[in-house]
Amino acid sequence: MKLRKAVTHDLPELNRISVISKKHWGYPEEWIKRWMKDLAVTAGDLISQETLVMEFEKRVIGFCSIKNQGDHYEVMHLWILPEFIGKGYGKILLKETLTSFILEDKPIWVLADPNAESFYEKQGFMTFEKVESYPKGRFLPMMKMNSFLERF
């Protein structure tokens, strides 16, 4: 396993991984199409966010992005290819991203998919709000970890 910063030529693969990972949860294609903008990573995102790529046997299997939002950090993306989900890679990728890019002791937020809420809870995040999403009546957990630097 290798971790490295994302570069522009990674963008097609990162965007492929985010869509494949989202589809893993069985969402209807109509919903996926509506979420494409939220799933996308752009060249501008690589400038405004810190993005770590995980490779396994020279193949990109996931990535994680974090952004400094001023009073808090926010996990913008954390995607792992479905065949690697549940094997500890997401935990490693999240921890390494936070360890590499958290420079100040302030909260870390993530607007999580409902299927990922228990994963983030195991990593020390707590849900503090529910945010309405698409389709109407679907809510996403807004989660936070108060102090990453004290944890590690």
Side-chain angles (χ1 to χ4, degrees):
M1 178 188 61
K2 177 183 172 187
L3 296 166
R4 62 172 174 79
K5 278 193 77 163
V7 293
T8 306
H9 77 263
D10 290 318
L11 288 172
E13 186 63 10
L14 301 185
N15 287 313
R16 187 183 78 80
I17 289 170
S18 66
V19 172
I20 289 170
S21 295
K22 192 70 163 184
K23 286 181 176 182
H24 168 74
W25 300 109
Y27 291 118
E29 194 62 34
E30 174 188 333
W31 296 13
I32 298 291
K33 287 178 184 175
R34 278 290 287 271
W35 296 333
M36 289 302 281
K37 185 178 177 187
D38 294 331
L39 296 171
V41 181
T42 67
D45 292 334
L46 294 183
I47 294 167
S48 66
Q49 303 168 18
E50 298 292 349
T51 303
L52 206 57
V53 171
M54 178 179 271
E55 294 179 336
F56 182 77
E57 297 177 354
K58 298 185 181 182
R59 174 183 175 207
V60 176
I61 65 164
F63 69 99
C64 184
S65 299
I66 190 165
K67 184 174 185 177
N68 188 337
Q69 299 284 33
D71 65 340
H72 66 278
Y73 291 96
E74 186 170 355
V75 176
M76 306 303 291
H77 294 278
L78 175 54
W79 302 106
I80 300 286
L81 285 172
E83 61 265 35
F84 294 92
I85 291 174
K87 298 180 179 174
Y89 293 103
K91 178 180 179 177
I92 293 167
L93 183 54
L94 178 63
K95 181 180 177 187
E96 290 302 318
T97 301
L98 299 181
T99 301
S100 298
F101 302 118
I102 297 292
L103 304 175
E104 301 171 71
D105 192 19
K106 53 189 175 183
I108 304 160
W109 294 14
V110 62
L111 183 61
D113 184 281
N115 291 297
E117 187 172 17
S118 65
F119 165 81
Y120 284 109
E121 285 174 348
K122 291 174 188 166
Q123 311 317 311
F125 287 81
M126 292 178 18
T127 300
F128 69 93
E129 184 179 348
K130 296 283 185 174
V131 177
E132 191 161 11
S133 177
Y134 175 85
K136 187 164 178 58
R138 179 176 184 265
F139 290 86
L140 304 178
M142 178 61 83
M143 307 179 76
K144 75 176 170 179
M145 176 190 297
N146 286 323
S147 178
F148 174 74
L149 294 178
E150 288 180 13
R151 285 180 58 90
F152 298 98

